[in-house]
Amino acid sequence: MTHLVNSSQRSLGVTFPTENQANIVLWAPLAKHVAIKVYGNQAAIPLKKEDLGYWCLTTSQLKPGDLYTYILDGHQEYPDPTSLSQPQGVHGPSQAVDTGTFQWEDQCWVNPALDSYLLYELHTGTFTQEGTFQALESKLDYLKALGVNAIEIMPVAQFSDSRNWGYDGVYTYAVQSSYGGAAGLQHLINACHYKGIAVVLDVVYNHFGPEGNYVGEFGPYLTDKYCTPWGKAVNFDDAWCDGVRRYVIENALMWFRDFHIDALRLDAVHAIKDFSPKHILQELREEVDKLMAETGRRHYLIVESDLNDPRFINPLSENGYGMDAQWMDEFHHALRVSIGEEPLGYYADFEGIGDLAKAYQNAYVYDGQFSEVRHKLFGYRAETNPGQQFIVFSQNHDQIGNRKLGERSSQLYSYEAVKLMAGAVFVSPYIPLLFMGEEWGETDPFYYFVSHSEPELVEAVRKGRKEEFAAFHSDEEVPDPESDETYERAKLQWDLLEQESHQILLRYYQTLIALRQQLPALAHLERRQLDVRADEANETLILH
Amino acid sequence: MTHLVNSSQRSLGVTFPTENQANIVLWAPLAKHVAIKVYGNQAAIPLKKEDLGYWCLTTSQLKPGDLYTYILDGHQEYPDPTSLSQPQGVHGPSQAVDTGTFQWEDQCWVNPALDSYLLYELHTGTFTQEGTFQALESKLDYLKALGVNAIEIMPVAQFSDSRNWGYDGVYTYAVQSSYGGAAGLQHLINACHYKGIAVVLDVVYNHFGPEGNYVGEFGPYLTDKYCTPWGKAVNFDDAWCDGVRRYVIENALMWFRDFHIDALRLDAVHAIKDFSPKHILQELREEVDKLMAETGRRHYLIVESDLNDPRFINPLSENGYGMDAQWMDEFHHALRVSIGEEPLGYYADFEGIGDLAKAYQNAYVYDGQFSEVRHKLFGYRAETNPGQQFIVFSQNHDQIGNRKLGERSSQLYSYEAVKLMAGAVFVSPYIPLLFMGEEWGETDPFYYFVSHSEPELVEAVRKGRKEEFAAFHSDEEVPDPESDETYERAKLQWDLLEQESHQILLRYYQTLIALRQQLPALAHLERRQLDVRADEANETLILH
């Protein structure tokens, strides 16, 4: 498959290698006939079938900005699975985009070493009142003053309507139109690099969202060999998997090469099921390495994994998957239980300060013990992996939003406890991550929200959310995930920063971040040199 | 989990560590109450719940030969999932067996080096008219005279009724009662070792048979995370998987330690789905290594895999699964197409002599090319794996019995072609395997046969078999897999050996086998020193 991937330019989808000519490559291995309908033109133009299920065309009749759809077998009309723009939403036609026209001004930008990353996770739609990339840009000076040097943007792949965390994306290549689309994202990244801020993009390769997902009409993107929390798994090793593997690899390369993204955060890779001799993440690593060798730019691959399996972050030379780093939820769980969180749900596996001490030293808390929550011996020891391979946090979008009432730490714990948790993150020998608003103690929740347009789906999500929390027996209602009000409440209240208590917390975070960068003992992520002693009787942890 | 496994003795199930005491260990993690009912005793005896879902009891009330069942939660009565004997079949009570009472006389036996193995695959029920281990024993001198030095016995785990290839076993630890049970198998192996013949046992860890399978009543032996051709997958990595992993590992150790089995052939390991940090085969390798270190005896782990993935046979030190060898169907397919088999079904991926040449040199024919049958790029190059890691054949139970009419090569091809195919196998730098009767050109087919007792299942199997071959449009009916006649016809016709043409073929095989052992160029499996030239125009292959 990889012989079809060209790291120096995207080959899948619609591209414009020369000004007046569009190159079209579509994977539709089971189709008998494929044509492209360009809006405003009279007749659909047939594509020519080539090897391995690809259909191709070079034409002067499709120009950047034009709307188009594909017509399969003469009558089925769908948007492009590799569409870069869906200006009328997930059900509308695709729009041709030439990513090459953007004038980049970040030639001097150098992606920092991974161990110096200080991550700030944000959701474009709720970070500002406007909910756009443009509005986000206006906050870059604020972030710069805070001291973080990398923003991690929750997924921007086009999803149904305008309100979504981003994990329901159905156009992996299209940037959400309501955020500002492809050009808006390029502009933001250019501005970030100008300010000295790296950009991490959260991407979802383990499932597609439930509404507006037409990829299945084009080919076997899914397989029923494996079951995931979202149903059928993305097809990485079953019949016709190569088209899907290429779809993912070209997508990752596109973000790095055409959008200057510095790192990808791959969502829930434990739900990527692949028994091929070469795992899709190994193949991705190889392709990204090729790209880096060509461009001289550095890019990182960071995974969300709940498997405590160092195979994901071990180098290819040791038959690992070669990922640069992984999220470490267990540090969060141990920290939260240490601070007083009730041991319910996934917290039930954690006992407090002793587990936190282990997280500081061994990264994985579970490295072979029996987990009462998972009902099995869980995890493996991460022997040789340096601190920069682990991302830690006291909050993130999931840990807040997957609570029934979406409470942030500042709503749950005392002011002093919140400060203590922030300190615990910044003195760790791992890469710290903040969640937007954490630094001033935002008092509003970050709810789970969506805005599907199909009535049955709307009801199913509402019902599912209620059932999920039915056992909690709390008087308060689960906020309606489909309502605009829920979404509005999730937006940050920037005016809180006018109040002294919030200002003090912000200055505390600024100071912590500055110390982290200035003190060699904190800046160098040498987890082997860290001495950790837990005094469980006094609930005290000593690090030095 | 492994801390519970004791390589020096079986711990799961019923054992007799001392003469008058039975030790009982049952895994039933979701049960609230467990008791054992010993037939002939008045009251059931409760077991005591211990950690990780185990229930235990030491009692003098259960003796070898006694029948027993377990009673779950006061009312559900089932046979033992780790039963060693089911004298009344799969639905009847279990029988306690003390494997330690057999008087072994094979102290001098040394399992040959793997590269000297000459394998003879047989099915106990149809190898002789009687279909028992005892009758099989009477043929050992014949096999010795033929020249093979290892028999590979198709699975003997207890299945429903008396007619089955063995892949519908539901008691992984019990030896089919109609074959002669545990004691019969021990007696056979003892006799084999006395004659200088090694014994390979085919074991199935990827699924359970459809009738008489009560393991699911005891715990989550299956998971719906993965789908296999047999439905839900055996649970190697989902919640409560550790009990299942132990069940498999203790079973393998039992065959080696308590039955003196020389090698296991693990059925269809591609259907063993396990994303744990340590794959079940890696764990099995480690445990078998421990056993070998303790006993000083050698045991081999051979897998049937259709994945062309050297990970299975690479050593643990390279993060492989450490299996000693694997079956290589592709050699068979390339050989059969070279000899004139029509390129239908899975043969469609093979073109003849060129593929056969590649099989001789590279083991895997597909090592990264697009497979039209699998619809994907398939396989990976086996760079460093020596010839002794691959088992080759011109026939086996599957390749014969999965044809509509179960024809052997001798029914399909000319006498000369049959001899050529045998020669192709014996000059290969791999381990050769014959299928029973091949060596005299048995003229009867080896059909697919079963004998379920549940009427719905009987009909489902009949229907499935008809549908499988519906596309073939042949006039001949699919033989009824459930009929006794089909079974009887699959039995070898030993009296054919009285006819000259069959005697000649037998002597040809004897000579080939003798040459294989005597000629250093054939006996040493150095696939790197083999020079292979394919002359496709003349359909000739030159090896030297």
Side-chain angles (χ1 to χ4, degrees):
Chain A
M1 191 266 295
T2 53
H3 64 283
L4 297 173
V5 172
N6 179 349
S7 39
S8 68
Q9 58 182 47
R10 179 165 56 87
S11 51
L12 216 52
V14 174
T15 50
F16 296 93
T18 61
E19 207 173 321
N20 297 313
Q21 244 174 1
N23 199 43
I24 301 172
V25 177
L26 173 73
W27 180 68
L30 306 177
K32 300 208 165 39
H33 185 268
V34 176
I36 183 165
K37 173 174 147 187
V38 180
Y39 281 49
N41 284 15
Q42 292 265 307
I45 317 166
L47 273 65
K48 188 167 162 272
K49 180 151 200 181
E50 300 200 350
D51 283 349
L52 303 177
Y54 289 97
W55 298 80
C56 302
L57 177 68
T58 302
T59 179
S60 59
Q61 294 190 53
L62 179 66
K63 302 203 176 342
D66 284 350
L67 297 177
Y68 68 99
T69 48
Y70 289 117
I71 299 174
L72 301 181
D73 297 339
H75 59 284
Q76 295 173 286
E77 185 177 348
Y78 300 108
D80 183 356
T82 55
S83 165
L84 260 71
S85 174
Q86 291 295 120
Q88 299 170 24
V90 296
H91 302 291
S94 301
Q95 183 178 41
V97 171
D98 183 0
T99 53
T101 55
F102 184 78
Q103 296 297 316
W104 290 98
E105 300 160 320
D106 66 350
Q107 286 75 11
C108 300
W109 167 251
V110 176
N111 190 1
L114 186 57
D115 68 357
S116 68
Y117 263 50
L118 295 160
L119 286 157
Y120 186 92
E121 186 190 28
L122 60 85
H123 175 263
T124 305
T126 53
F127 183 59
T128 61
Q129 194 56 38
E130 301 86 343
T132 63
F133 296 130
Q134 198 179 2
L136 200 168
E137 266 187 49
S138 69
K139 301 293 186 191
L140 294 181
D141 284 334
Y142 164 81
L143 293 173
K144 193 78 192 149
L146 172 61
V148 296
N149 58 14
I151 56 170
E152 177 164 322
I153 306 176
M154 285 169 68
V156 301
Q158 187 83 29
F159 46 79
S160 68
D161 201 49
S162 61
R163 304 187 302 268
N164 201 290
W165 278 14
Y167 302 95
D168 293 324
V170 283
Y171 292 85
T172 309
Y173 288 68
V175 180
Q176 174 67 13
S177 50
S178 60
Y179 289 170
L185 181 60
Q186 287 179 316
H187 197 278
L188 169 67
I189 295 164
N190 194 52
C192 284
H193 286 175
Y194 183 79
K195 302 274 185 197
I197 295 174
V199 182
V200 183
L201 183 65
D202 194 344
V203 288
V204 182
Y205 296 140
N206 53 47
H207 75 285
F208 293 95
E211 182 175 344
N213 178 20
Y214 299 106
V215 298
E217 307 294 338
F218 289 86
Y221 281 81
L222 300 175
T223 171
D224 51 15
K225 263 173 78 175
Y226 311 115
C227 309
T228 75
W230 306 280
K232 289 182 181 184
V234 175
N235 174 16
F236 288 109
D237 68 3
D238 204 358
W240 296 111
C241 62
D242 301 297
V244 187
R245 295 173 74 95
R246 181 180 179 189
Y247 174 87
V248 161
I249 284 174
E250 288 226 18
N251 182 259
L253 295 179
M254 177 186 81
W255 297 123
F256 289 144
R257 185 191 50 230
D258 305 335
F259 287 81
H260 294 201
I261 285 288
D262 296 290
L264 291 177
R265 181 262 194 194
L266 309 182
D267 183 60
V269 293
H270 44 268
I272 289 179
K273 303 293 183 187
D274 183 7
F275 268 110
S276 309
K278 191 181 286 180
H279 192 278
I280 182 67
L281 295 181
Q282 292 177 314
E283 194 168 346
L284 180 59
R285 171 82 275 163
E286 290 180 355
E287 294 297 322
V288 172
D289 284 348
K290 271 187 223 163
L291 176 73
M292 294 197 297
E294 275 176 35
T295 63
R297 285 170 179 259
R298 254 192 305 216
H299 302 289
Y300 305 117
L301 293 166
I302 300 168
V303 294
E304 182 200 19
S305 163
D306 86 337
L307 291 180
N308 286 14
D309 185 350
R311 163 174 42 171
F312 286 86
I313 52 173
N314 283 340
L316 294 181
S317 60
E318 295 170 18
N319 280 323
Y321 295 170
M323 300 292 100
D324 292 293
Q326 70 157 100
W327 277 34
M328 198 165 77
D329 282 7
E330 286 192 320
F331 179 93
H332 166 271
H333 301 342
L335 176 60
R336 290 288 280 258
V337 172
S338 297
I339 218 82
E341 182 82 37
E342 272 196 88
L344 300 173
Y346 49 63
Y347 292 118
D349 265 346
F350 297 87
E351 292 188 342
I353 208 92
D355 288 333
L356 186 58
K358 186 163 180 194
Y360 275 112
Q361 281 199 303
N362 294 5
Y364 300 147
V365 175
Y366 277 79
D367 51 11
Q369 306 88 317
F370 188 80
S371 152
E372 295 289 345
V373 173
R374 298 173 191 260
H375 303 296
K376 61 176 180 175
L377 300 175
F378 179 63
Y380 207 78
R381 210 172 149 85
E383 296 280 2
T384 56
N385 309 88
Q388 68 177 47
Q389 292 204 292
F390 302 96
I391 316 272
V392 296
F393 36 80
S394 69
Q395 309 186 40
N396 69 34
H397 72 276
D398 261 331
Q399 307 303 339
I400 300 169
N402 284 334
R403 300 179 69 91
K404 177 180 176 183
L405 301 174
E407 306 99 325
R408 297 159 175 275
S409 300
S410 49
Q411 298 172 267
L412 294 169
Y413 307 115
S414 71
Y415 198 73
E416 294 310 315
V418 165
K419 290 202 287 184
L420 187 59
M421 288 165 77
V425 167
F426 281 100
V427 301
S428 81
Y430 306 118
I431 296 174
L433 175 141
L434 309 184
F435 183 66
M436 61 177 199
E438 169 187 338
E439 71 276 17
W440 72 66
E442 170 63 54
T443 56
D444 259 0
F446 182 73
Y447 287 135
Y448 176 72
F449 49 80
V450 289
S451 56
H452 298 306
S453 67
E454 293 167 358
E456 283 176 21
L457 191 55
V458 169
E459 268 321 295
V461 169
R462 278 188 180 134
K463 191 159 163 275
R465 199 75 188 167
K466 275 194 185 164
E467 283 172 1
E468 190 178 340
F469 297 107
F472 280 74
H473 298 300
S474 137
D475 290 340
E476 295 187 70
E477 274 285 300
V478 180
D480 178 4
E482 299 274 358
S483 86
D484 191 49
E485 193 194 332
T486 300
Y487 182 64
E488 288 301 319
R489 280 214 60 198
K491 288 186 175 175
L492 291 183
Q493 304 177 88
W494 288 88
D495 52 5
L496 288 180
L497 279 175
E498 291 160 20
Q499 298 172 19
E500 197 185 350
S501 70
H502 295 292
Q503 284 170 9
I504 292 172
L505 191 60
L506 177 64
R507 283 201 296 275
Y508 174 79
Y509 268 85
Q510 280 174 318
T511 308
L512 269 181
I513 291 170
L515 282 174
R516 169 86 179 194
Q517 290 175 308
Q518 289 156 11
L519 294 181
L522 296 181
H524 298 293
L525 308 185
E526 292 290 349
R527 72 180 175 109
R528 295 290 168 220
Q529 288 177 18
L530 183 73
D531 187 22
V532 182
R533 284 181 220 160
D535 177 353
E536 304 202 24
N538 294 306
E539 294 194 355
T540 312
L541 204 64
I542 300 163
L543 311 177
H544 64 97
Chain B
M1 191 266 295
T2 52
H3 64 282
L4 296 173
V5 173
N6 180 349
S7 38
S8 67
Q9 58 182 47
R10 179 165 56 88
S11 51
L12 216 51
V14 173
T15 50
F16 295 94
T18 61
E19 207 174 323
N20 296 314
Q21 243 173 1
N23 200 40
I24 302 171
V25 177
L26 173 73
W27 181 66
L30 306 177
K32 300 210 163 40
H33 186 267
V34 176
I36 185 167
K37 173 175 148 184
V38 180
Y39 280 48
N41 284 15
Q42 293 265 306
I45 317 165
L47 275 64
K48 187 169 163 271
K49 182 153 199 180
E50 300 202 347
D51 283 348
L52 303 175
Y54 290 97
W55 298 80
C56 302
L57 177 69
T58 302
T59 177
S60 58
Q61 293 190 52
L62 179 66
K63 304 206 173 338
D66 284 350
L67 298 177
Y68 68 100
T69 46
Y70 289 117
I71 299 173
L72 302 181
D73 297 339
H75 58 287
Q76 295 173 285
E77 186 176 349
Y78 301 108
D80 183 356
T82 55
S83 164
L84 260 70
S85 173
Q86 291 293 120
Q88 299 171 25
V90 296
H91 303 290
S94 302
Q95 183 178 42
V97 170
D98 183 0
T99 53
T101 55
F102 185 78
Q103 296 296 318
W104 291 97
E105 300 159 320
D106 67 350
Q107 287 74 11
C108 300
W109 167 249
V110 176
N111 190 1
L114 186 56
D115 67 358
S116 68
Y117 262 50
L118 296 159
L119 285 158
Y120 187 92
E121 187 189 28
L122 61 85
H123 176 262
T124 305
T126 53
F127 184 59
T128 61
Q129 195 55 40
E130 302 86 343
T132 62
F133 296 129
Q134 198 179 1
L136 199 167
E137 266 187 48
S138 70
K139 301 294 186 190
L140 293 181
D141 285 333
Y142 163 82
L143 293 173
K144 193 78 192 150
L146 172 61
V148 297
N149 59 14
I151 56 170
E152 178 164 322
I153 306 176
M154 285 169 68
V156 301
Q158 185 84 30
F159 46 79
S160 67
D161 202 47
S162 60
R163 304 187 303 268
N164 201 289
W165 280 14
Y167 302 96
D168 294 324
V170 283
Y171 292 85
T172 309
Y173 287 68
V175 181
Q176 176 67 13
S177 50
S178 60
Y179 290 170
L185 181 61
Q186 288 179 318
H187 197 276
L188 168 67
I189 296 165
N190 194 51
C192 285
H193 287 175
Y194 184 78
K195 302 275 184 196
I197 295 174
V199 183
V200 184
L201 183 65
D202 194 345
V203 288
V204 182
Y205 296 140
N206 52 48
H207 74 285
F208 293 94
E211 182 175 343
N213 178 18
Y214 300 105
V215 297
E217 307 294 338
F218 289 86
Y221 280 82
L222 300 174
T223 169
D224 50 15
K225 262 174 79 176
Y226 310 115
C227 308
T228 76
W230 305 281
K232 289 180 180 186
V234 175
N235 174 17
F236 288 109
D237 67 3
D238 204 358
W240 295 111
C241 62
D242 300 298
V244 186
R245 295 173 73 95
R246 182 181 178 187
Y247 173 87
V248 162
I249 284 174
E250 288 226 17
N251 181 259
L253 296 179
M254 178 186 81
W255 297 124
F256 289 143
R257 185 193 49 231
D258 304 335
F259 287 81
H260 294 201
I261 286 288
D262 296 290
L264 291 178
R265 180 262 194 194
L266 310 182
D267 183 60
V269 292
H270 43 269
I272 290 179
K273 303 293 185 188
D274 183 6
F275 268 111
S276 308
K278 192 181 286 181
H279 192 279
I280 182 68
L281 295 181
Q282 291 177 315
E283 193 167 346
L284 180 59
R285 171 81 276 164
E286 289 179 357
E287 293 297 323
V288 172
D289 284 348
K290 270 187 224 163
L291 176 73
M292 294 196 297
E294 273 177 36
T295 64
R297 286 171 179 257
R298 255 192 305 216
H299 303 289
Y300 305 117
L301 293 166
I302 299 168
V303 295
E304 182 199 19
S305 163
D306 87 337
L307 290 180
N308 285 15
D309 186 349
R311 165 176 37 173
F312 285 86
I313 53 174
N314 283 340
L316 294 182
S317 59
E318 297 169 18
N319 279 323
Y321 295 171
M323 299 293 100
D324 291 293
Q326 69 158 100
W327 278 34
M328 196 164 76
D329 282 6
E330 286 193 319
F331 179 92
H332 167 271
H333 301 343
L335 177 59
R336 290 289 281 258
V337 173
S338 297
I339 218 84
E341 182 82 36
E342 274 197 86
L344 299 173
Y346 50 65
Y347 291 120
D349 265 346
F350 298 87
E351 293 188 343
I353 208 94
D355 288 334
L356 185 58
K358 187 163 180 191
Y360 275 111
Q361 282 199 302
N362 293 4
Y364 300 147
V365 176
Y366 277 80
D367 52 11
Q369 305 88 319
F370 187 80
S371 152
E372 294 290 344
V373 173
R374 297 172 191 260
H375 303 298
K376 62 176 181 175
L377 299 176
F378 178 62
Y380 208 79
R381 211 172 148 83
E383 297 279 3
T384 54
N385 309 88
Q388 69 179 48
Q389 291 205 293
F390 302 96
I391 315 274
V392 296
F393 36 81
S394 69
Q395 308 186 42
N396 69 35
H397 72 275
D398 261 330
Q399 307 303 339
I400 301 170
N402 285 334
R403 300 179 70 91
K404 177 180 174 182
L405 302 174
E407 306 99 326
R408 296 159 174 276
S409 299
S410 50
Q411 299 171 267
L412 294 169
Y413 307 115
S414 72
Y415 198 72
E416 296 309 315
V418 165
K419 289 203 287 187
L420 187 59
M421 287 167 76
V425 168
F426 280 100
V427 301
S428 79
Y430 307 119
I431 297 173
L433 174 140
L434 310 184
F435 182 66
M436 61 178 199
E438 167 185 339
E439 71 277 17
W440 71 69
E442 170 63 54
T443 56
D444 260 359
F446 181 73
Y447 288 136
Y448 175 73
F449 49 79
V450 290
S451 55
H452 298 304
S453 67
E454 294 167 358
E456 284 175 22
L457 190 55
V458 170
E459 268 321 295
V461 169
R462 279 188 180 135
K463 192 159 164 276
R465 198 73 187 169
K466 276 193 186 168
E467 284 172 359
E468 190 177 340
F469 297 106
F472 279 75
H473 297 300
S474 139
D475 290 339
E476 295 189 69
E477 276 284 303
V478 180
D480 178 4
E482 298 275 359
S483 86
D484 192 48
E485 194 194 331
T486 301
Y487 181 66
E488 288 300 319
R489 282 215 55 200
K491 288 186 175 174
L492 291 184
Q493 303 178 88
W494 288 88
D495 51 6
L496 289 180
L497 278 174
E498 292 159 21
Q499 298 172 20
E500 198 183 352
S501 68
H502 295 292
Q503 284 171 8
I504 292 173
L505 190 61
L506 177 62
R507 283 200 296 274
Y508 174 78
Y509 267 86
Q510 280 174 320
T511 309
L512 269 182
I513 291 170
L515 282 174
R516 168 86 181 195
Q517 289 174 310
Q518 289 155 13
L519 294 180
L522 296 180
H524 297 294
L525 308 185
E526 290 290 346
R527 72 180 176 109
R528 295 290 168 220
Q529 288 175 17
L530 184 72
D531 187 22
V532 182
R533 283 180 220 160
D535 177 354
E536 303 203 23
N538 293 308
E539 294 194 355
T540 313
L541 204 63
I542 300 163
L543 311 177
H544 66 97

